[in-house]
Amino acid sequence: HTPKKILLFKMKVVVALVSALVASASAFAPAKTAKTSVSTSMSFESELGAQAPLEFWDPLRLLDDADQAKFDRLRYVEIKH
């Protein structure tokens, strides 16, 4: 083996190790999260069960265009079941 080939091999090993270290370090970096806001026609933030850190949480968006009667009905069904 020539010294040039040995040097090239060593450089490849170093590059592979450095890229493995960078990849493993990025796995522990904090994830970037986007702030989202939910706009509803009524404000249910003061209802029972809306508490930090989620506040009022409606992931299925059942209450996007809901009035107080629909909210009360869904709350009744939730408590019943």
Side-chain angles (χ1 to χ4, degrees):
H1 295 269
T2 65
K4 189 174 183 180
K5 285 186 179 181
I6 293 173
L7 181 63
L8 185 61
F9 176 74
K10 286 182 179 180
M11 288 175 53
K12 287 181 180 180
V13 169
V14 168
V15 168
L17 288 174
V18 168
S19 53
L21 285 174
V22 168
S24 65
S26 66
F28 297 102
K32 295 179 182 177
T33 57
K35 296 282 183 178
T36 59
S37 64
V38 177
S39 60
T40 57
S41 59
M42 291 211 45
S43 177
F44 299 113
E45 284 79 18
S46 62
E47 293 292 334
L48 182 65
Q51 49 189 313
L54 297 177
E55 302 301 329
F56 176 71
W57 191 53
D58 182 24
L60 299 177
R61 298 188 171 269
L62 297 173
L63 298 171
D64 275 354
D65 296 321
D67 56 356
Q68 188 66 41
K70 182 174 181 180
F71 178 83
D72 292 339
R73 170 72 179 142
L74 290 174
R75 175 60 56 96
Y76 168 76
V77 171
E78 176 185 17
I79 293 171
K80 179 180 177 186
H81 294 285

